[in-house]
Amino acid sequence: VQLQASGGGLVQAGDSLRLSCAASVSTDVTAWFRQAPGKEREFVAGFRWRRGYTLYADSVKGRFTISRDGAKNTVYLDMSSLKPEDTAVYYCAVGSNVVRDSGKYAYWGQGTLVTVSS
């Protein structure tokens, strides 16, 4: 499985941004993680489309939405009301279950940088 993340950029606080994760094959479980400078990689959102199951980190709940376009094998992360603390490199990952543990995901995209200025 090859994953290509894109959509990052420089935005201002309060703005919105959409990240995309294009997969080489159809996947069931996809998640987004992020890693800020000097911090550990953290779970952001996960999605199991066949069961309609989603999971969000408390820090993004109500602001971020994960979705999928099956025809394009692409998973999106729509981010709104962005805050400076959302600044990080965002990674998409594919695994067998939606869990917060990054070690449980077998495939990773290359990351896309999101910078939110105050």
Side-chain angles (χ1 to χ4, degrees):
V1 180
Q2 293 182 325
L3 303 173
Q4 181 72 38
S6 62
L10 172 62
V11 297
Q12 293 186 333
D15 284 352
S16 298
L17 198 63
R18 166 176 270 199
L19 303 183
S20 300
C21 177
S24 57
V25 296
S26 178
T27 59
D28 187 22
V29 173
T30 305
W32 287 95
F33 287 78
R34 66 186 181 187
Q35 187 165 18
K39 295 188 177 181
E40 294 186 353
R41 190 169 298 188
E42 65 172 353
F43 175 85
V44 175
F47 180 58
R48 185 165 202 157
W49 73 270
R50 290 192 177 95
R51 296 187 180 181
Y53 174 74
T54 58
L55 179 67
Y56 294 95
D58 288 344
S59 59
V60 306
K61 200 173 295 183
R63 299 189 298 122
F64 291 11
T65 302
I66 189 170
S67 62
R68 177 182 182 270
D69 184 335
K72 297 181 180 179
N73 289 339
T74 299
V75 172
Y76 302 100
L77 184 68
D78 287 296
M79 307 184 293
S80 63
S81 302
L82 283 162
K83 305 174 182 179
E85 50 264 44
D86 294 318
T87 295
V89 177
Y90 284 71
Y91 300 88
C92 58
V94 165
S96 56
N97 289 291
V98 180
V99 294
R100 301 177 190 271
D101 183 355
S102 61
K104 300 298 185 182
Y105 292 82
Y107 303 97
W108 290 83
Q110 84 287 3
T112 184
L113 176 62
V114 174
T115 304
V116 184
S117 63
S118 58

